Amino acid sequence: MDLRFEGDELKSVLNRLRRAQGQISGVIRMIEEGRDCEEVVTQLAAASRALDRAGFAIIATGLQQCLADSVSGEGDAGSTDEVKARLEKLFLSLA
């Protein structure tokens, strides 16, 4: 299945991935500088969360599209943004 990202969806995922990229660069720099272990682990955990959130956003978008394609107007499951937000929240609660 091909994911179809709209402008805001794509921007949100890319922002999360860029944030993670910056955090990972920061972790590398911190290790090279011999920074405190606790600081390094804290920054690494932040990068991991950013990657998780980007992944979950992608999963939520894919599931929302899959559901929308299969239902095709049957019933009123709420707006696309509401369904996506609910799916993303569910996946984040599993993390």
Side-chain angles (χ1 to χ4, degrees), residues 75-86:
D76 184 20
S79 75
T80 301
D81 289 341
E82 290 171 346
V83 172
K84 180 181 173 221
R86 287 181 20 224

Side-chain angles (χ1 to χ4, degrees), residues 18-32:
R18 286 186 182 109
R19 186 177 308 124
Q21 183 179 32
Q23 289 167 325
I24 291 169
S25 294
V27 169
I28 292 168
R29 190 170 40 258
M30 291 170 79
I31 291 170
E32 290 173 343

Side-chain angles (χ1 to χ4, degrees), residues 11-58:
K11 185 176 180 179
S12 174
V13 169
L14 289 175
N15 284 341
R16 290 175 197 262
L17 291 172
R18 286 186 182 109
R19 186 177 308 124
Q21 183 179 32
Q23 289 167 325
I24 291 169
S25 294
V27 169
I28 292 168
R29 190 170 40 258
M30 291 170 79
I31 291 170
E32 290 173 343
E33 294 170 355
R35 299 274 294 271
D36 179 65
C37 179
E38 188 174 341
E39 292 176 18
V40 172
V41 171
T42 299
Q43 189 67 18
L44 191 57
S48 178
R49 283 190 304 273
L51 288 172
D52 287 344
R53 290 187 63 83
F56 288 131
I58 291 168

Side-chain angles (χ1 to χ4, degrees), residues 1-10 13 57-58 60-70 72 80 84:
M1 173 178 86
D2 292 334
L3 290 176
R4 299 176 307 269
F5 282 96
E6 310 253 333
D8 288 342
E9 293 169 339
L10 180 61
V13 169
I58 291 168
T61 299
L63 283 175
Q64 179 268 319
Q65 288 175 6
C66 185
L67 288 172
D69 290 348
S70 67
S72 296
T80 301
K84 180 181 173 221

